[in-house]
Amino acid sequence: MRPSRRTVLTATAATAAAGAAVTGPAEAAPHPGTGRPPATAQRPGRALRALLREIDPRRIEATIHKLVSFGTRHTLSSQDDPVRGIGAARDWLLSELRSYAAASGGRMTVELQSYVQEPAPRIPTATRITNVVATLRGSVTPDRVYVVAGHYDSRVTDVMDATSDAPGADDDASGVAVVLELARVLARRRPASTIVFAAVAGEEQGLYGSGHLAQRLKEAGTDVQGMFTNDIVGSSTADDGTRDPYTIRLFAEGVPSSETPEQAAVRRSVGGENDSATRQLARFVRDVADNDATGMRVRVIHRRDRYRRGGDHIPFLERGYPAARFTEPAEDFAHQHQDVRVDGTGKQYGDLPEFCDPDFTARVARVNAATLWTLAQAPGTPRGAKILTSTLTNATELVWTRGPEPDLAGYEVVWREPTAPEWTHVIPVGDVTAHEVDLSKDNVFFGVRAVGGSGLRSPVAFPDPA
């Protein structure tokens, strides 16, 4: 039954009075310490819980120690020494990912993705930069792609010092360990859509490896519907010694880096600053990964990255892809971008493995796994979502394009008050491509999401005016 304006507004008032959202069938139980979940939250099923239990903190710890053992992984370090430098790390990563691919039944392929970077900022001479990339091809909708990355290069205080020991345990052996563990666990499964696992180089010199990866995907016309970088996800201890072992930050920009003047004009007219595709992706992460199955709270930060810092998601944002960054809750800057040393007070500096917490990093990996698996198994984000504005009325008519998924079951319209950070109401509308809500588009924000036959929901599409 289509809700009337009176029933919708009555529900809104009741929600405000009770302090709880009006939800559809996707309602989830609250996670302890995080308050009630969004109306769009999706509870993890049995298969996902089994997947998450396979993530092994001991393997993550071993990966961090192995990467540290190469002495330095500076982008300008040796590429042909078999035991020290970025080349030795590259070769080990390739071998590890190939061993995981062997268990995939041919679904996972692994490649070295190289190019020569001509002299540029922080690159004094022409330098070969190599990403190690594993692609797990989807079994149903392989043209839809999700990317997860970490950078395997490291540095010390002087960003041009390519010879000193640069352990890079937290920054970013921890993120690479997450990527490898995800590849190991998921290689034995059949995701509906394609997942790309990337260990990229050149991050500390200027995001060169991820820029190359993003550009190759863009030139190939790849439908990347989500990208995540895990960068500095190894420790839950802040510089003052306080610990927050059950929170991970997710940085997600609002106004898109790739926005054109025409898109900016639309955004200003409808007030979509908090509704970019990246913000919808971040809400989706909370929907599926902030729960008891991961044991984590996802703290979404509404900015592209931290002050004076940047990560490997940025080249994807610049090319119009939704992308976000996972980073630990509070950094200890004595343990990143520092020469290994002990000062006169006995304080230890340097990015050493003893300052990493593999149990925490394993929970970060579970957040990533819950997100990527659900994205890959659910329908894709709806295309062509529009609010029809040719006639001024106090009702709202939405239209969208039906997705190509063979198990597509239908759609839901979601909405919230303009000042609300999360979607608060869900209206199941069935397998249709248009729906009218008896509520003014001038007063609330609307979105559309797809529902699969298994009950999994897609990220929300924010409609443009038409």
Side-chain angles (χ1 to χ4, degrees), residues 31 42-44 52 286-296 370:
H31 180 256
Q42 304 184 56
R43 293 295 295 165
L52 299 181
R286 278 210 59 204
D287 284 347
V288 303
D290 187 320
N291 52 48
D292 64 318
T294 66
M296 290 292 270

Side-chain angles (χ1 to χ4, degrees), residues 93 97 108-111 113 130-136 146-153 172 174-183 195-201 209-214 217 227-231 312 316 372:
L93 289 167
L97 286 170
M108 178 181 281
T109 56
V110 183
E111 64 174 324
Q113 185 187 88
T130 303
N131 301 326
V132 189
V133 181
T135 301
L136 181 60
Y146 301 97
V147 179
V148 61
H151 71 87
Y152 71 99
D153 60 306
D172 184 36
S174 66
V176 175
V178 166
V179 172
L180 261 62
E181 187 65 357
L182 294 172
I195 304 175
V196 174
F197 308 87
V200 300
S210 60
H212 181 65
L213 174 60
L217 291 166
M227 183 274 180
F228 299 97
T229 185
N230 287 267
D231 195 352
D312 288 317
F316 284 80
L372 289 165

Side-chain angles (χ1 to χ4, degrees), residues 1 7 49 64 71 79 95 119 124 152 200 242 251-252 256 285 293 307 323 331 344 357-358 388 414 433-434:
M1 176 179 174
T7 59
R49 288 179 182 273
I64 291 172
Q79 299 205 17
S95 175
Y152 71 99
V200 300
T242 58
F251 286 85
V285 175
Y307 281 94
E331 298 165 76
D357 176 356
L388 301 186
V414 300
T433 56

Side-chain angles (χ1 to χ4, degrees), residues 127-375:
T127 301
R128 181 168 296 278
I129 292 177
T130 303
N131 301 326
V132 189
V133 181
T135 301
L136 181 60
R137 184 172 173 81
S139 59
V140 180
T141 49
D143 291 339
R144 174 157 47 100
V145 175
Y146 301 97
V147 179
V148 61
H151 71 87
Y152 71 99
D153 60 306
S154 63
R155 61 165 286 187
V156 289
T157 305
D158 179 0
V159 72
M160 301 305 293
D161 180 351
T163 59
S164 296
D165 282 350
D170 194 6
D171 185 13
D172 184 36
S174 66
V176 175
V178 166
V179 172
L180 261 62
E181 187 65 357
L182 294 172
R184 182 186 72 85
V185 171
L186 291 173
R188 300 192 297 271
R189 290 172 165 81
R190 292 180 177 272
S193 299
T194 296
I195 304 175
V196 174
F197 308 87
V200 300
E203 192 271 353
E204 300 290 7
Q205 306 309 110
L207 312 180
Y208 289 106
S210 60
H212 181 65
L213 174 60
Q215 185 61 26
R216 281 188 53 164
L217 291 166
K218 191 68 175 180
E219 289 174 352
T222 308
D223 181 19
V224 177
Q225 293 198 12
M227 183 274 180
F228 299 97
T229 185
N230 287 267
D231 195 352
I232 311 179
V233 294
S235 174
S236 61
T237 304
D239 52 1
D240 63 357
T242 58
R243 297 186 68 241
D244 188 0
Y246 301 103
T247 299
I248 185 68
R249 289 184 293 175
L250 180 62
F251 286 85
E253 74 173 12
V255 176
S257 296
S258 61
E259 185 179 71
T260 65
E262 294 76 17
Q263 291 168 334
V266 172
R267 172 181 52 78
R268 286 192 295 267
S269 71
V270 302
E273 292 80 6
N274 197 22
D275 284 285
S276 65
T278 294
R279 288 280 166 87
Q280 307 302 347
L281 190 64
R283 290 184 178 112
F284 183 90
V285 175
R286 278 210 59 204
D287 284 347
V288 303
D290 187 320
N291 52 48
D292 64 318
T294 66
M296 290 292 270
R297 172 190 176 227
V298 179
R299 182 181 181 187
V300 177
I301 308 294
H302 284 180
R303 57 170 53 101
R304 187 168 74 167
D305 212 319
R306 301 102 72 232
Y307 281 94
R308 299 177 58 194
R309 308 294 285 275
D312 288 317
H313 59 310
I314 292 176
F316 284 80
L317 292 169
E318 291 171 341
R319 289 159 178 80
Y321 292 130
R325 175 192 179 126
F326 286 111
T327 295
E328 62 199 28
E331 298 165 76
D332 187 339
F333 300 104
H335 300 151
Q336 55 179 265
H337 295 190
Q338 292 285 341
D339 294 336
V340 179
R341 67 192 190 280
V342 178
D343 71 8
T345 69
K347 181 179 177 63
Q348 176 72 63
Y349 286 81
D351 192 354
L352 299 165
E354 54 259 42
F355 299 117
C356 290
D357 176 356
D359 290 322
F360 170 78
T361 308
R363 286 191 290 275
V364 176
R366 292 186 185 106
V367 169
N368 279 262
T371 301
L372 289 165
W373 182 252
T374 309
L375 283 168

Side-chain angles (χ1 to χ4, degrees), residues 390-412:
S390 56
T391 303
L392 295 178
T393 72
N394 282 318
T396 300
E397 187 175 358
L398 297 115
V399 298
W400 55 90
T401 302
R402 193 179 191 279
E405 296 81 6
D407 69 336
L408 184 65
Y411 292 87
E412 294 173 338

